[in-house]
Amino acid sequence: MSHLCAVPGCARPVGGGRRASRAWSIYCNKHRSHERRHGHAEQRQVNLKELAPYLKITDRRLKVTPEARAWDAADERFRALADAAATDLAAWNRGQPMSGIQRLCAEEIDKLARVAKPREVWRLVAAVILMERREPGRFKSDDAFFVQMARVVRRLRDVNAYEWWDHKARRTRRGYRDPNKRVMVEMGRVLSVSLGMVGTTLARMEDAEEARQDKVKAELVGALGELEAGVKEAA
Ligand SMILES: [Zn+2]
């Protein structure tokens, strides 16, 4: 019996590597690999251009209140996360048991901390959170959100790039090797839990500012209406 891919509009048959996995698959090969890479079969990748307005929100706050203690505290939070990852890895090297997912996630955080400044990391985390708040439906599931979070942050380290020989094009290419989906979900989750507060707080501040602007505008409209009505009455 042949089934079609579960993604609406996709007419390809369900696929899968081995017969056993094919029996459980609900997606075609293309959407199955997309799901593994992006956290959901229909999740669109978040690119830096789309994140730009949200990065701007964070940067504006940083510029207006450069002395705020919150920024240093967020830096410190990432350093603590990186230290914990390094400690876990050292313990694992000494033979302490650790789940594969946890270890690979710790490796990701450790590698990230070696090449990126804490501020670069939490700035991106905040931007992804702002995006999630402002664009309902942009993330197809919690997993997709965490995977995209991890992907965005991972781009900070070019050391991920590996070179491979493209036989068809007969040249060396650079690509980014993604860890498996469960590691990416865990990485995104850890980053959101430890650094996400910056994003949620900035989102609240933005909402409050917008509400204030709306109120001032409404007051002006009301006052101008009164002025106009008064002039008409006097005439
Ligand atoms: Zn499909």
Side-chain angles (χ1 to χ4, degrees):
M1 195 166 65
S2 152
H3 296 281
L4 291 184
C5 174
V7 171
C10 180
R12 278 181 289 264
V14 292
R18 276 158 290 146
R19 192 182 287 245
S21 58
R22 199 151 51 229
W24 294 102
S25 181
I26 57 167
Y27 300 120
C28 65
N29 280 331
K30 184 188 144 199
H31 284 119
R32 232 169 62 98
S33 73
H34 189 92
E35 197 252 335
R36 278 200 304 260
R37 269 173 73 80
H38 292 283
H40 190 282
E42 293 169 78
Q43 179 60 48
R44 204 157 48 77
Q45 172 163 229
V46 172
N47 61 47
L48 281 181
K49 202 176 148 207
E50 285 176 285
L51 272 188
Y54 305 110
L55 286 169
K56 226 163 124 187
I57 289 175
T58 311
D59 291 347
R60 189 174 139 241
R61 298 285 174 189
L62 267 164
K63 213 172 148 189
V64 174
T65 49
E67 300 304 320
R69 284 197 306 139
W71 316 134
D72 288 339
D75 289 349
E76 202 42 56
R77 192 87 173 87
F78 179 70
R79 272 187 217 109
L81 182 66
D83 285 349
T87 306
D88 285 351
L89 288 174
W92 181 77
N93 278 322
R94 286 195 308 270
Q96 195 170 301
M98 194 175 177
S99 87
I101 303 285
Q102 235 189 320
R103 179 178 59 81
L104 290 167
C105 177
E107 273 178 10
E108 288 295 321
I109 302 284
D110 184 54
K111 282 188 231 166
L112 180 65
R114 286 167 198 275
V115 295
K117 290 194 181 76
R119 197 151 295 194
E120 292 177 304
V121 177
W122 64 249
R123 199 174 149 261
L124 285 172
V125 171
V128 176
I129 286 180
L130 283 162
M131 176 184 233
E132 191 252 345
R133 293 286 163 105
R134 290 293 169 95
E135 298 180 34
R138 181 63 179 79
F139 297 97
K140 302 294 177 193
S141 65
D142 288 354
D143 275 7
F145 171 73
F146 292 139
V147 169
Q148 294 303 315
M149 172 77 82
R151 287 180 68 97
V152 163
V153 171
R154 263 179 114 252
R155 273 184 232 134
L156 282 171
R157 35 179 280 242
D158 204 43
V159 286
N160 278 332
Y162 66 99
E163 289 190 342
W164 54 283
W165 178 252
D166 186 338
H167 287 277
K168 224 171 161 182
R170 303 202 59 75
R171 67 184 179 94
T172 310
R173 286 184 186 275
R174 276 162 80 79
Y176 287 84
R177 197 190 295 275
D178 284 324
N180 93 33
K181 182 187 153 186
R182 286 201 292 160
V183 176
M184 294 294 270
V185 169
E186 180 61 11
M187 185 187 182
R189 198 188 59 78
V190 164
L191 290 169
S192 305
V193 168
S194 56
L195 303 169
M197 256 193 300
V198 180
T200 51
T201 305
L202 290 179
R204 272 202 310 276
M205 288 167 76
E206 285 295 302
D207 289 347
E209 193 175 309
E210 267 167 38
R212 202 160 53 232
Q213 300 273 11
D214 286 350
K215 200 176 155 225
V216 171
K217 193 183 160 195
E219 272 165 15
L220 177 63
V221 169
L224 288 172
E226 278 169 26
L227 175 73
E228 203 174 14
V231 170
K232 273 184 194 149
E233 256 168 47

